[in-house]
Amino acid sequence: MNRTFAILLSVYWTVNFGFAAWSAALAEGIVVPAGALGTESAWQASQFFGHLGMVLGNALVAALFAWTLLVSLLEAGDRRETANVAGLACAAALVMLLMDVIYAGLAAKAATFAPSAAITMKILAVLATHLVLRREEVEAESEEAVQAARPASRVSTLRIIDAAHDTMAGRVARRQGLRFSPPANDHGNP
């Protein structure tokens, strides 16, 4: 797998979470609650800070995936930094999606927090993205190990071939001293 897939995933999640932050900001608007009295005021304040947290959290995750995109575009061969930033972005995305489930449950005043099908699919997609990016990191590490081992083995092979060539050339070029040997059944009688 090449870097292009990591770049495309980074672009997709940047746009996805950026759009989520933008739509959350536009849906209800970030409006400071008016001065009401008692528990109604506390409830409005908690909704305000929860909504603000969702907008800022989605924007942060979008920024992390944009950072992943930037690092993957600018790195020169070493893909470990992209994997580190991508892991951080995927973890933040999972936290944000779980917070989205909790916020939706609290806003609906539900007794249980059950993720919707869309949120479940997003969670699975982020996990798949993390696995794909992790797989790419493992492939990059194994490729680096193979590349590091290849030149040494190639140099060793060339040295062995060179030594064999020198030995054979020395034998061919050297004059052989041939002498007469009597047959094995001849007992010294010429």
Side-chain angles (χ1 to χ4, degrees), residues 105-185:
L106 287 175
K109 298 181 183 176
T112 61
F113 305 132
S116 66
I119 296 294
T120 304
M121 293 306 291
K122 275 187 177 181
I123 290 172
L124 292 175
V126 168
L127 289 173
T129 299
H130 176 68
L131 289 176
V132 164
L133 294 175
R134 178 69 181 136
R135 172 73 180 174
E136 185 173 335
E137 176 190 8
V138 168
E139 283 181 6
E141 288 175 357
S142 65
E143 185 179 297
E144 288 173 4
V146 168
Q147 291 294 338
R150 265 194 202 141
S153 64
R154 187 170 184 208
V155 168
S156 299
T157 304
L158 290 175
R159 285 183 181 165
I160 291 169
I161 291 171
D162 190 36
H165 179 266
D166 288 345
T167 303
M168 293 302 290
R171 287 186 180 180
V172 170
R174 188 174 56 190
R175 200 171 159 176
Q176 301 292 326
L178 298 176
R179 49 176 204 197
F180 178 72
S181 297
N185 61 358

Side-chain angles (χ1 to χ4, degrees), residues 6 10 64-65 67-68 80-92 129-130 133-134:
S10 299
L64 284 172
F65 276 111
W67 182 22
T68 304
R80 286 183 296 226
E81 185 65 29
T82 300
N84 291 339
V85 176
L88 179 65
C90 287
T129 299
H130 176 68
L133 294 175
R134 178 69 181 136

Side-chain angles (χ1 to χ4, degrees), residues 6-26:
I7 291 170
L8 290 175
L9 284 172
S10 299
V11 168
Y12 172 77
W13 287 115
T14 299
V15 170
N16 192 325
F17 280 98
F19 182 70
W22 181 63
S23 64
L26 291 180

